[in-house]
Amino acid sequence: MAPLEAMACGLPVVASCAPGVVDILGDAGEFGGFVVPTDDAPSLASHVGRLLDDDQAALELGARARTRVEQAFSLGAAGERLKALLGARRVT
């Protein structure tokens, strides 16, 4: 939940490769953040440092993060997926 909450606030995310994180963030910053290997502190520090050093990149990544949450994880998006799932299971 923490990555989604940060993304909803328009913040870029750097997270370790825990279950589900790649599904949320995608690869190489496409959805507003970076996934780093577990137990790789230098990689984590490098990505965080890059965002701290480049305000424009952080703003752009944060905007992508906000868009990702709105399109894939908002109440409306979740409701549409649930509606499609339930509709697909409807017996006639």
Side-chain angles (χ1 to χ4, degrees):
M1 284 303 293
L4 291 174
E5 291 170 351
M7 293 167 72
C9 293
L11 298 172
V13 173
V14 179
S16 64
C17 191
V21 171
V22 174
D23 296 326
I24 295 170
L25 295 176
D27 294 321
E30 66 186 300
F31 293 136
F34 296 106
V35 180
V36 298
T38 304
D39 297 327
D40 188 349
S43 180
L44 179 68
S46 174
H47 283 84
V48 170
R50 186 181 330 162
L51 293 173
L52 290 173
D53 290 341
D54 188 344
D55 290 340
Q56 187 61 37
L59 287 172
E60 289 172 11
L61 206 59
R64 275 189 260 163
R66 173 71 185 196
T67 299
R68 171 71 169 155
V69 168
E70 290 172 349
Q71 292 177 347
F73 300 100
S74 68
L75 184 58
E80 288 299 319
R81 284 194 306 277
L82 181 59
K83 183 174 145 183
L85 175 68
L86 295 174
R89 292 182 169 200
R90 190 173 293 176
V91 177
T92 57

